[in-house]
Amino acid sequence: MDTHSPSHLLARYYTPLPEHPSARGPPATLRRSLKGFASILASVIFLLSLVGLIIINQSQQPLQNPSSNANIPSLLSPLPSSFSRRVPRGVEEGVSAKSNPSPLDEESSYNWTNAMFSWQRTSFHFQPMRNWMNDPDGPLYHMGWYHLFYQYNPDSAVWGNITWGHAVSRDLIHWLYLPIAMVPDQPYDINGVWTGSATLLPDGQIVMLYTGDTAELVQVQNLAYPANLSDPLLLHWVKYTGNPVLVPPTHIAPKDFRDPTTGWIGPDGKWRITIGSKINGTGISLMYHTTDFKTYELLDNVLHAVPGTGMWECVDFYPLAINGSMGLDTSAGGPGIKHVLKASLDDTKLDHYALGTYDPDSDTWTPDNPEEDVGIGLRYDYGRYYASKTFYDQYKKRRILWGWINETDTEYDDLEKGWASVQTIPRTVLFDNKTGTNILQWPVQEVESLRQRSTKFEDVLIEPGSIVPLDIGTATQLDIFAEFETELLESAGEEEGYSCKGGAINRSKLGPFGLLVIADDSLSELTPIFFRPTNTTNGTLDTYFCADETRSTLAPEVQKHIYGSTVPVLEGERYAMRALVDHSIVESFAQGGRTVITSRIYPTEAIYGSARLFLFNNATGVNVKATLKIWQMNSAFIHPFPL
Ligand code: DQQ
């Protein structure tokens, strides 16, 4: 039987997923007890082999396998004691931790294998070798190296004991792990070296401001600087003896004062920073002036406030040129500039931004469109994405955006696999001067250095209700460019009001159509990334860009979302998407990066050689023609720096 024939696939496509994974071996309880016995046996064998290895190889430092799939802590390792912690520590301490911590019920966990967990590790996205990571911190470029710092728990795959992990890269893609840059070792940060930002001063100094969680769980701001500026790796960091440099103002709660931004200089020559907070339910960004980063003046006014948006974490504030393809230094001002204000909303765990105008005299910012203000309008990414931060790359004159992709599996699964979270591929950010209403995000050009063999498909016809396999071999590491044209088969006039809701099985006349990524041949697992044009009540056409994870895995405990939002498709433009597929991560960019969605998926069958790529058209009233170029992507072989 031809398993690729559209009718066969269509039948499978409409087969609803079983409520639970099909019977796979003994029931969960038995599996668990077998697993428990196997754990003990394996631990003993593991310990004996370890002793053997140590004897054979006493003087040799164990080499880290450069493959990104290496160094996976064994499924058989005993769970860390923090597993018994049922209230996540981040929640206790007033910060976002994992947002799906709840199902610590091992009975509901899928019967994962080491091979499945290994496959989930990415090949060209940044992630530590093991343990927990969250927000990107203070990225910067110094003496030929890009530096990424990140919130990192060196002891476990759950949030806690937060230090600053550190890695460097020549090209933002091939990373080398460095030793931890800062650990919680002072009364002013003993409960965590939290998120912070770098400011490069005109005389070449680097100042790093970060939030410390004190012994009393008060959030304060601290100053650190490199011990040796002539060290390109910036290995050693010195905490200023006068820390903390800022404590919560009297009208701010001690747990609502965190994540200082990069500084910028105003027309009066003073530096400014802004820090997220809230007063009652209103999200705000406090404004400070400083001349030396050691003493600060709190301004009476805030940079901006939006009622009902709650605590603002990881505020970011930066200029974008209205015309042009270059980024701007954070201190740039004057005409021809818009300012982006971004807040990570602690209540919803979503990153919202808005475009507006900054007045450096009053140190206030006004949104272009009050109906699309920070927290109530646009988002950087409509998928799994949080706590982002930009920096200005003075070497290539561009603004680079990082974001934290957190997991949608459970804390229990994270502990079993021994790691949690990934960073996005760094994205350049520009103002979209065609629409004038949004930014454009695009993977840094350096990611293209990973491209290998490519395959082209031209004008592939996808009829209503059909699925077309794309013969590219294994489809786990891809850079996909796809353009779609539609041909109306019947009048679509009376139909309106569709969105991403209902996902890819929700058929309307004009959509959905797009790609099925990380799908297996029998389509028991698949993730549709798609467009859905839809008529509106006022007679115009809106297009939604969506990702539907509801069939991405057979594992029941994984959260499965349908993500998406509208995307402007201008006169004369085709529907265009780019997708970076990297094992369990799919970053999708519509219309040159106007709308972006990051998916986090945990397939059990569509893995290794079984992962495939398909086109689909589930519209009822249009033929779709697709033209694609697809590259297989190499791994970035992220490994420790050979210090
Ligand atoms: N993560 C940090 C905080 C920040 C939060 C703590 C956002 O500084 O507010 O790890 O994810």
Side-chain angles (χ1 to χ4, degrees), residues 95-97 132 134-135 151 159 162 193-195 211 258-259 313-314 344 386-387 404:
V95 297
S96 314
W132 168 273
N134 55 295
D135 323 353
Q151 297 281 283
W159 187 90
I162 290 294
V193 184
W194 288 359
T195 288
T211 299
R258 55 186 181 270
D259 313 331
E313 297 187 308
C314 303
S344 302
Y386 194 61
W404 163 40

Side-chain angles (χ1 to χ4, degrees), residues 215-292:
E216 297 77 29
L217 303 183
V218 174
Q219 293 167 13
V220 297
Q221 313 314 323
N222 301 314
L223 170 63
Y225 47 91
N228 177 9
L229 262 182
S230 58
D231 170 15
L233 300 181
L234 300 173
L235 286 177
H236 303 290
W237 288 80
V238 177
K239 294 177 186 173
Y240 171 54
T241 47
N243 279 340
V245 292
L246 278 172
V247 297
T250 46
H251 63 296
I252 295 295
K255 289 185 179 177
D256 294 339
F257 183 58
R258 55 186 181 270
D259 313 331
T261 59
T262 295
W264 69 96
I265 311 180
D268 55 6
K270 290 181 185 169
W271 286 93
R272 279 96 166 124
I273 60 160
T274 184
I275 300 178
S277 185
K278 73 170 175 199
I279 294 181
N280 300 320
T282 298
I284 61 171
S285 203
L286 300 162
M287 274 301 306
Y288 289 90
H289 282 180
T290 183
T291 51
D292 58 6

Side-chain angles (χ1 to χ4, degrees), residues 13-263:
Y13 189 50
Y14 282 110
T15 308
L17 278 182
E19 296 214 328
H20 301 286
S22 50
R24 268 165 241 274
T29 331
L30 181 55
R31 283 202 315 260
R32 287 288 163 201
S33 47
L34 286 176
K35 201 190 267 181
F37 175 72
S39 294
I40 294 164
L41 192 67
S43 301
V44 171
I45 294 169
F46 176 71
L47 278 176
L48 286 176
S49 1
L50 199 63
V51 170
L53 262 180
I54 289 166
I55 292 167
I56 295 166
N57 200 13
Q58 236 172 359
S59 59
Q60 206 181 322
Q61 187 74 358
L63 254 185
Q64 308 290 2
N65 185 331
S67 152
S68 63
N69 281 340
N71 302 303
I72 312 300
S74 168
L75 181 61
L76 306 170
S77 318
L79 289 175
S81 55
S82 55
F83 173 63
S84 59
R85 181 189 294 279
R86 291 210 169 233
V87 178
R89 196 178 142 191
V91 175
E92 278 173 13
E93 293 183 20
V95 297
S96 314
K98 189 178 165 76
S99 55
N100 177 21
S102 45
L104 288 175
D105 163 18
E106 60 181 277
E107 290 308 302
S108 64
S109 180
Y110 188 79
N111 191 21
W112 296 104
T113 63
N114 271 341
M116 290 172 187
F117 280 154
S118 295
W119 184 88
Q120 287 170 19
R121 279 190 71 86
T122 57
S123 281
F124 56 92
H125 282 74
F126 180 82
Q127 61 181 125
M129 277 188 291
R130 58 182 70 81
N131 293 324
W132 168 273
M133 171 176 69
N134 55 295
D135 323 353
D137 292 314
L140 60 96
Y141 178 82
H142 180 68
M143 295 179 73
W145 291 97
Y146 291 99
H147 289 253
L148 171 66
F149 303 89
Y150 49 94
Q151 297 281 283
Y152 180 56
N153 181 353
D155 302 325
S156 170
V158 296
W159 187 90
N161 317 312
I162 290 294
T163 67
W164 273 35
H166 187 189
V168 285
S169 166
R170 292 279 189 197
D171 64 359
L172 291 165
I173 299 296
H174 296 85
W175 292 95
L176 297 157
Y177 303 117
L178 287 176
I180 289 171
M182 290 196 277
V183 298
D185 56 2
Q186 300 295 322
Y188 52 77
D189 64 12
I190 199 71
N191 269 305
V193 184
W194 288 359
T195 288
S197 310
T199 304
L200 309 189
L201 305 190
D203 65 359
Q205 285 187 68
I206 298 172
V207 295
M208 198 65 91
L209 284 175
Y210 71 91
T211 299
D213 193 24
T214 72
E216 297 77 29
L217 303 183
V218 174
Q219 293 167 13
V220 297
Q221 313 314 323
N222 301 314
L223 170 63
Y225 47 91
N228 177 9
L229 262 182
S230 58
D231 170 15
L233 300 181
L234 300 173
L235 286 177
H236 303 290
W237 288 80
V238 177
K239 294 177 186 173
Y240 171 54
T241 47
N243 279 340
V245 292
L246 278 172
V247 297
T250 46
H251 63 296
I252 295 295
K255 289 185 179 177
D256 294 339
F257 183 58
R258 55 186 181 270
D259 313 331
T261 59
T262 295

Side-chain angles (χ1 to χ4, degrees), residues 409-431:
D409 65 354
T410 63
E411 211 159 68
Y412 180 83
D413 290 343
D414 290 345
L415 287 163
E416 279 206 283
K417 69 184 195 240
W419 57 271
S421 306
V422 179
Q423 302 290 340
T424 57
I425 293 298
R427 302 170 183 168
T428 51
V429 180
L430 290 172
F431 175 69

